[in-house]
């Protein structure tokens, strides 16, 4: 039964995206990235919206902190680096592989129990070294292996079957769906399969931002606070060395952020200010500067965000332009600074 306090599921429709970033070369707009952006104030009210923040969309891996909260609520006893790995899209570094093995060992399981798809490490440097060594794709190296190991551990703790833990009707996935709805405040619009094989729930960009804010404002010791603390304190376990999301959490005090494939990112501060971004064409070159601009629009000190202004466009080896967020994302005066 759905809670009567939940809003209706977002409508499944073609999103009405709007320009969120310009590709500027030599002072001329060469290209336009479309997308949607929402900025929430500490009171949860929408302070800025661009594009379509209410249409159903897939948050991809940006939903992982919510999935981790659901597992923590279901009794997952992990904290610190292993709980951060539970919410990770990791780079496949040795620490990520070792952490996943530790979770499996705690569950009394092995890599053979994982049902995520085999893959090479996500980080290109790590992947190249992996290939040079003649190593093949593996479930352990795939960037969602920490989440899958934690899913299996949660199943063993609750006496749930392991073989079909990725079935949307499995008790684990039903429990996760319930928490997705609880934290987003809305019913799920639909369920499909994510790249790793796990169920992927469709919600709105607004709902994703709302969920992140609820996680960062939760009382100390709650599953939500445990997940937020773990990801902030062990940012590289939730991503990897050199990853922009880890650098962003180090740069902005109290910030929790998670990216997802196809140009998705969500971020929230300890006071509940939150942003969520979807780049329509999935481009990372737009995701990073648009997220930084949205955080500045939310009141984060722009000086903390300097390194996230986007990579320069080169012409003949020299910088000739950048991807620049649209003017409506520029900070307004008089906003409290983080």
């Amino acid at each position: 039964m759905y809670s009567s306090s939940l809003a209706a599921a977002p409508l499944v429709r073609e999103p009405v995206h709007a320009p969120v970033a310009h590709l500027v070369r030599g002072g001329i707009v060469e290209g336009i990235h479309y997308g949607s952006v929402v900025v929430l104030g500490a009171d949860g009210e929408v302070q800025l919206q661009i594009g379509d923040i209410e249409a159903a969309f897939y948050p991809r891996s940006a939903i992982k902190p919510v999935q981790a909260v659901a597992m923590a609520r279901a009794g997952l006893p992990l904290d610190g680096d292993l709980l951060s790995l539970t919410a990770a899209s990791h780079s496949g570094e040795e620490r990520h592989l070792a952490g996943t093995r530790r979770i499996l060992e705690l569950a009394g399981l092995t890599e053979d129990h994982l049902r995520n798809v085999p893959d090479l490490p996500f980080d290109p440097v790590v992947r190249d070294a992996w290939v040079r060594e003649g190593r093949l794709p593996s479930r352990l190296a795939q960037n969602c292996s920490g989440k899958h190991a934690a899913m299996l551990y949660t199943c063993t703790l609750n006496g749930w079957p392991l073989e079909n833990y990725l079935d949307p009707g499995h008790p684990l996935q039903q429990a996760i769906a319930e928490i997705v709805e609880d934290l987003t405040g809305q019913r799920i619009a639909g369920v499909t399969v994510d790249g790793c094989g796990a169920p992927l729930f469709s919600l709105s960009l607004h709902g994703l931002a709302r969920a992140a804010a609820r996680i960062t404002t939760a009382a100390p010791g709650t599953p939500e606070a445990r997940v937020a603390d773990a990801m902030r304190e062990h940012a590289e376990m939730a991503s990897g060395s050199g990853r922009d999301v880890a650098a962003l959490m180090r740069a902005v005090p109290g910030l929790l952020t998670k990216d997802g494939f196809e140009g998705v990112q969500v971020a929230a501060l300890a006071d509940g200010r939150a942003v969520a971004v979807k780049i329509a064409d999935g481009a990372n070159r737009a995701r990073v500067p648009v997220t930084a601009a949205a955080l500045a629009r939310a009141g984060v000190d722009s000086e903390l965000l300097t390194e996230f202004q986007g990579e320069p466009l080169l012409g003949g080896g020299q910088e000739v332009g950048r991807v620049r967020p649209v003017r409506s994302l520029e900070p307004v005066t008089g906003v409290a600074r983080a």
Side-chain angles (χ1 to χ4, degrees), residues 302-325:
S302 296
E303 292 185 3
L304 300 176
L305 303 167
T306 302
E307 65 177 292
F308 308 100
Q309 301 306 308
E311 298 179 2
L313 276 172
L314 301 181
Q318 302 297 318
E319 181 175 343
V320 294
R322 285 181 178 267
V323 175
R324 299 191 182 281

Side-chain angles (χ1 to χ4, degrees), residues 217-229:
T217 58
T222 60
E224 292 89 335
R226 285 169 50 204
V227 169
D229 289 344

Side-chain angles (χ1 to χ4, degrees), residues 69 73 183 212-229 232 270:
V69 168
R73 286 193 187 184
L183 294 182
R214 289 195 60 186
I215 291 173
T216 57
T217 58
T222 60
E224 292 89 335
R226 285 169 50 204
V227 169
D229 289 344
R232 289 182 295 216

